[in-house]
Each structure stands twice: as C-alpha cells, then as structure tokens.
Amino acid sequence: MFFRMVKGTYARQWKKMLMIALTVALGASIATAMLNIMLDVGDKINAELKTYGSNITVVPQSESVINKLYETDEDDSYGEYLNEDRVGELFTVFWINNITDFSPEVETDVSLSGEEIKVIGTWFNHHFEYTKKGTTYVRDTGIINLRSWWDISDGAWLDEQKVDKDGYAMVGSELANRQNIKAGDTITLEGTQGTEEVVVYGIYESGDDEDNYIYTTLPLVQRLSGTEGLVEKIEVSAITSPDDELAIKAAKNPYLLTGEERDLWYCTAYVSSICFQIQEAIPEASATAIRQIADSEGKILEKTELLMSLITFLSLIGATLAISNLVTSCVMERSCEIALLKAVGAKNGQITGLVLTEIVMASILGAVAGYFLGFAFAQIIGQTVFNSSIEMNGMVAFVVAVLIIAVTFVGSIPAVRMLLRLRPSEVLHGGH
C-alpha cells in the first residue's frame, strides 16, 4: 500500500517531482564541480604560477649574510660562488618531486661593440645527469620553463640538446634594437678572461631590465669570467603548500618548533621547509624564498578556494529554497488527500514518512545525475583554465551525498510543519 501511494503520487505530480530532481541535480553538480576542483586546484594553481618564474634562490652563505646585513638585493654579486657539481645535491632533497625546474647562473660584464653589457650564463633545456652512491638522477631542466613568459620576437629558444652548446646566445630586445642585432648574426663578446664569438639564436622580450642582457650557456660565461666549475646562484621553481601559522613560525626559526611541529612542517611542502632541506643538502649555501611569489601563491589559492566555497554554499542555499517551495506546493495540492488519510487514522509520522520518501527518491535521482554532470563541469573548467583534467576524488561523492541529504530535509521542513498543522475537519469541511 505504501509504495502504491508513492507510485500514485509520482503519476499525478510527476512534473513537480521532476523539478525537485532537476533542482537537486543543479545543486549537486555545482557542489561536485567546485569540491573536485578545490581538492585538485592547489597543485594546478601552483603549476600555473610556476610558469612565471622561480620561487627559491640558492646563493652562497657568505653572500646571503651580506645581503641580510646591508639589506641589499639578492641579485647583487660579491664574488662568492658555489661549486657547479653541488647543483646535483638538489636531487637528494626530500621534496625533489616538487622541484619542477632549476638552473644555475653565473654572470659577468662584457664589451659588445664598445658597450658594456651584462651576460648571464645558465642552462636552457639542459640534460642533466647526476650520480651519487650508485644512483643516477636525470632531469631536463633550465630557463625555458623558468622564463616561459618571454616572447621570442625573432629566432627561437636556444635548446642545448639540439645545438652546439657553447656557440649560441639569446639577446634582449632592447639591446638588439640598440645595436641592430638579428637572429643568425654573429657577435663578439669581450670578457675579462678572453673573447668569444657567438651566434644569436633568438631575440627575446621579457618586459623588464633583462631586455638589455644577453643569455648564453653556462660554460661560455664561465670562460669569459674565469669561473670554470663555479656558479653564483641557483634558481629553483618548486610546487609549494600555502603558508599557515606553522610555516610562519618555522620560517622565523625551525629549531624552536616542538618535535611534533617539526615533523609536520618538515613533511609538508612549505616553501620554508623546502629551503631548509636544500640547505641541509648544500650546507655551504643559503636557500631563500622569493616572498612576493611564494606569498602570492598562497593568497591566490586561498581566495580561489574561498570563491569556490562561496559558490557551493550559495548554490546549495538556492537549492534548499527551491525544494522548500516545490515540496510546500506539493503538500498544498494534496491537502485533501492528506486530510483524508488523517481522518481514516493515519498518524502524522506515517504521512510525514510518505512525503519524505517521495522527496528523497526524487532527490536521489537528481543527486546521481548531478554528481556525474558536476564532474563533467569540473573537466570543462580544468581544461579551460588549467589545460589539464581534474581528478575524481572519492571523498567528494560522500560529501555531496551528505550535503544533498541536508538540503532535502532542511528544504522539506516548512512543508512538514504545514502537514503537521493540517486539520482534517477544516480541510474536508471548508472550516465549517
């Protein structure tokens, strides 16, 4: 009898039940999309921000002390160097899989057609192999990824794996315009330790002072400056977790952390913990976070998650209000039927159970459809914004189910209250 009554309700009020299912589907789809993106967006945003440069700089300890003492810019050079073979120690860092790119640098001043120019030697797309304790680590890395925002206006990116490593350079656009340099030209660089002829492989536009520099391969600048086997700094790009109170406390002095705090901090990809581990791997170096970039990552992630949470909350509020109106309308239309049930002895609990069963069945159908629709929305957003897919997180299904149950029951409260107050005599006899 119970299910026959439910079936009869769906036959008579199928339009309203369909609207309830669609309302739930809309709320569930938005919640599913936002929650899946929120759980996957951290790495996506960090990876996207990594296209705008490094967020950690590794320099000799003595240079770092001078920078801190005199509050100078980290890029200032004081003739201090790291051994180039120490770059490979980055592979021993616990968070090496979070380190997406790195590149050592050394710079010097040269004379080009009578003009003093800064030349920076670095890796472009460098095939790097490092062996330690019988284990060989391999990585293709360099500034092609660390400077991915550069616009190549003439020529192409210098790829060390395709050309003679020591015979090419890339020239900044302003310098190229000033000296009428084009891709394919041969220029002569006069350094303190000799002269090198290089072919201009490409002209780049960076939008800052680097447009007046020349970038070339590391060995070439080492020869020009007499610093073979040495580097001045290492630029590192790492995927990091946003700073919280623990990370801020650790950044001041990690040795003041309790044992439990230290373990949590060390095993979380905070920028400060990655810097600390780099210094453990290269004791003679000082690893410093580029705070503007690191702080921006955390703030952007927090604001993005807040926005998605707000969208989810508002969509569920809207679904709750819509369900409330629809269920109340259903109860009002069935007031005579409900009054008759009460008149023949049906209890309030039985009638309430009947109505809620009907609503829950429609909500389940809507929730299932909304979940898969929401995951499809998440993929569209992921491909559009991050150019990658969003992983389906099993926990989202549980959370969405709980939210939809809450929305359904909260939205049904006004209708249930109306049902409980309904008096058979007033309805069936018109109040007389």
Side-chain angles (χ1 to χ4, degrees):
M1 177 63 72
F2 181 85
F3 289 104
R4 186 182 300 172
M5 295 177 69
V6 172
K7 181 179 178 181
T9 300
Y10 272 83
R12 293 190 305 272
Q13 295 188 313
W14 65 271
K15 290 183 179 179
K16 282 190 171 56
M17 293 302 169
L18 179 60
M19 287 301 298
I20 290 173
L22 290 175
T23 300
V24 171
L26 179 60
S29 65
I30 295 176
T32 299
M34 294 300 105
L35 290 173
N36 272 301
I37 292 172
M38 282 175 62
L39 292 174
D40 198 41
V41 75
D43 289 347
K44 295 288 189 299
I45 288 180
N46 274 299
E48 190 75 15
L49 289 172
K50 292 301 164 285
T51 63
Y52 298 99
S54 58
N55 55 353
I56 296 174
T57 301
V58 183
V59 297
Q61 271 194 353
S62 52
E63 181 176 327
S64 176
V65 169
I66 294 175
N67 285 329
K68 292 178 181 177
L69 181 62
Y70 294 101
E71 299 181 352
T72 59
D73 191 286
E74 283 189 5
D75 289 338
D76 290 340
S77 175
Y78 295 93
E80 300 293 338
Y81 300 95
L82 294 169
N83 287 325
E84 185 181 349
D85 57 12
R86 300 292 282 165
V87 176
E89 293 297 326
L90 290 174
F91 285 110
T92 66
V93 173
F94 177 77
W95 289 107
I96 182 57
N97 290 331
N98 281 54
I99 296 178
T100 56
D101 288 284
F102 55 88
S103 181
E105 290 185 7
V106 65
E107 65 180 55
T108 189
D109 291 331
V110 301
S111 177
L112 174 63
S113 301
E115 182 180 356
E116 189 173 280
I117 303 297
K118 179 180 288 188
V119 177
I120 298 174
T122 188
W123 292 347
F124 291 84
N125 182 30
H126 184 78
H127 184 73
F128 182 54
E129 295 186 8
Y130 179 72
T131 301
K132 184 173 183 179
K133 296 181 180 179
T135 301
T136 299
Y137 305 92
V138 180
R139 179 75 68 89
D140 289 341
T141 185
I143 66 165
I144 286 183
N145 292 323
L146 292 175
R147 299 288 192 280
S148 60
W149 70 90
W150 280 4
D151 180 31
I152 308 303
S153 58
D154 187 18
W157 269 106
L158 173 55
D159 189 336
E160 297 178 43
Q161 299 183 42
K162 295 181 179 179
V163 300
D164 178 5
K165 288 197 257 186
D166 295 337
Y168 295 86
M170 297 190 68
V171 178
S173 57
E174 292 188 11
L175 173 61
N177 290 334
R178 205 163 51 243
Q179 296 215 12
N180 195 28
I181 297 172
K182 301 181 296 298
D185 290 351
T186 299
I187 58 177
T188 301
L189 307 178
E190 299 178 11
T192 58
Q193 302 297 316
T195 300
E196 296 278 349
E197 287 192 349
V198 295
V199 176
V200 177
Y201 204 80
I203 308 295
Y204 66 86
E205 294 181 9
S206 67
D208 55 28
D209 290 342
E210 291 181 328
D211 286 337
N212 291 291
Y213 302 165
I214 294 174
Y215 274 80
T216 186
T217 52
L218 187 62
L220 190 146
V221 176
Q222 288 171 334
R223 292 197 301 270
L224 285 172
S225 57
T227 57
E228 287 86 347
L230 302 174
V231 298
E232 289 180 325
K233 69 176 181 179
I234 307 169
E235 289 192 15
V236 178
S237 178
I239 296 175
T240 60
S241 299
D243 280 358
D244 53 18
E245 291 183 5
L246 176 60
I248 294 171
K249 180 179 179 181
K252 294 177 181 177
N253 190 344
Y255 297 102
L256 295 180
L257 299 176
T258 65
E260 185 177 349
E261 288 176 334
R262 181 182 171 86
D263 289 343
L264 178 59
W265 169 72
Y266 196 88
C267 294
T268 305
Y270 297 122
V271 66
S272 56
S273 64
I274 294 177
C275 287
F276 183 82
Q277 291 167 31
I278 290 175
Q279 291 176 179
E280 285 184 322
I282 313 175
E284 67 272 24
S286 175
T288 307
I290 302 176
R291 295 313 313 181
Q292 297 93 326
I293 296 177
D295 291 345
S296 295
E297 291 171 358
K299 290 177 181 177
I300 291 172
L301 184 57
E302 288 175 1
K303 291 180 179 180
T304 301
E305 290 180 343
L306 178 61
L307 176 62
M308 292 181 179
S309 298
L310 184 60
I311 292 172
T312 302
F313 176 74
L314 292 177
S315 69
L316 293 176
I317 290 294
T320 302
L321 294 174
I323 289 174
S324 177
N325 289 332
L326 289 168
V327 177
T328 301
S329 176
C330 287
V331 171
M332 290 177 66
E333 288 184 9
R334 299 171 62 191
S335 58
C336 290
E337 175 190 346
I338 293 170
L340 185 59
L341 288 172
K342 283 190 174 187
V344 297
K347 304 296 184 182
N348 283 332
Q350 294 173 318
I351 299 173
T352 301
L354 174 65
V355 172
L356 290 179
T357 298
E358 297 164 355
I359 304 306
V360 168
M361 288 176 62
S363 297
I364 290 174
L365 293 174
V368 172
Y371 177 78
F372 289 103
L373 184 61
F375 187 69
F377 285 160
Q379 299 309 313
I380 294 172
I381 295 172
Q383 293 293 340
T384 303
V385 178
F386 304 108
N387 197 31
S388 64
S389 61
I390 300 295
E391 294 184 7
M392 180 180 284
N393 193 304
M395 185 177 69
V396 171
F398 174 76
V399 173
V400 169
V402 172
L403 291 174
I404 292 304
I405 290 172
V407 164
T408 300
F409 281 99
V410 171
S412 301
I413 288 175
V416 171
R417 292 179 62 187
M418 177 186 294
L419 184 153
L420 295 175
R421 291 198 301 265
L422 189 146
R423 297 178 181 274
S425 59
E426 292 179 357
V427 175
L428 296 176
H429 299 287
H432 300 288

